[in-house]
Amino acid sequence: SAAGIISDPARTEVWRKSPGFEEDVALVKELYDLKMTHFDGILGDILNLFGDEELKKNTIVLFIGDHGEALMDHGILGHSVNVYEEMIRYPMLVKFPDGESAAGRLVGQINHEAMTDLVTKIISGRVSAENFAEEASKLSSEYLLSRNCNDTIQSVRYKSEWKLIKNA
């Protein structure tokens, strides 16, 4: 089963050596892309629910993912099993009142505490579509702590350089 492949390195290695491995990985990536496309449609439907003009003027919509997904990066399929870059980066979409949206890629590392501060500033009106990128860039943190969901891997990142603390 896929769950066995995700959680058991020995099974992953057997799968990697199988004749259909490359096709399997391509299919997994295609299915993930389809899932994201489906989510985009659902998101559009949700944003279109705001047909009420008064609601549009007074509503902020935030979508924040909890972590990324490994699609055989570093030989890993799934999520929550490591703290590689693709696991700790996550998507965020902000729709401000009157349909304004904030887009862009935040380059600096931001911890969850700083993200909470950013969301608080958005809700309080201190961050708008116009100053979102500038305000978000101020939240960059020198330190970033990471752990996987099983708490078997813990690491710290200082100025974008990793240091493994625990790997049980």
Side-chain angles (χ1 to χ4, degrees):
S1 76
I5 291 170
I6 291 169
S7 61
D8 183 351
R11 286 187 181 184
T12 302
E13 192 55 34
V14 169
W15 177 45
R16 183 187 310 279
K17 293 177 181 176
S18 71
F21 173 74
E22 294 298 327
E23 293 83 12
D24 289 348
V25 171
L27 178 61
V28 166
K29 290 179 178 183
E30 183 180 340
L31 290 172
Y32 186 80
D33 287 346
L34 287 170
K35 185 166 90 172
M36 292 300 99
T37 300
H38 179 70
F39 177 74
D40 284 348
I42 291 171
L43 179 59
D45 291 343
I46 290 169
L47 295 177
N48 287 331
L49 290 175
F50 298 113
D52 182 302
E53 291 305 314
E54 192 60 33
L55 194 58
K56 281 184 184 180
K57 291 178 186 175
N58 297 304
T59 303
I60 297 169
V61 178
L62 293 164
F63 282 95
I64 304 172
D66 61 343
H67 54 74
E69 189 79 18
L71 302 173
M72 289 313 293
D73 304 291
H74 307 284
I76 298 167
L77 176 66
H79 60 271
S80 306
V81 294
N82 66 59
V83 291
Y84 287 115
E85 194 75 14
E86 56 274 3
M87 294 287 89
I88 64 165
R89 292 201 176 273
Y90 51 89
M92 177 179 182
L93 174 134
V94 182
K95 186 203 84 53
F96 290 93
D98 292 327
E100 298 177 87
S101 62
R105 183 181 177 100
L106 304 179
V107 178
Q109 59 188 31
I110 299 174
N111 61 34
H112 281 94
E113 185 178 292
M115 183 59 68
T116 301
D117 186 45
L118 178 62
V119 170
T120 301
K121 288 179 178 179
I122 291 169
I123 292 169
S124 68
R126 292 179 285 157
V127 171
S128 64
E130 292 80 28
N131 68 351
F132 176 80
E134 177 187 345
E135 289 295 319
S137 71
K138 293 177 185 177
L139 299 175
S140 184
S141 173
E142 287 187 333
Y143 293 96
L144 181 69
L145 301 173
S146 301
R147 70 175 181 80
N148 69 341
C149 291
N150 298 328
D151 209 26
T152 55
I153 301 173
Q154 295 179 5
S155 67
V156 66
R157 190 160 86 165
Y158 175 69
K159 295 186 178 179
S160 298
E161 295 295 323
W162 286 102
K163 172 70 176 171
L164 181 66
I165 296 174
K166 174 185 172 186
N167 192 358

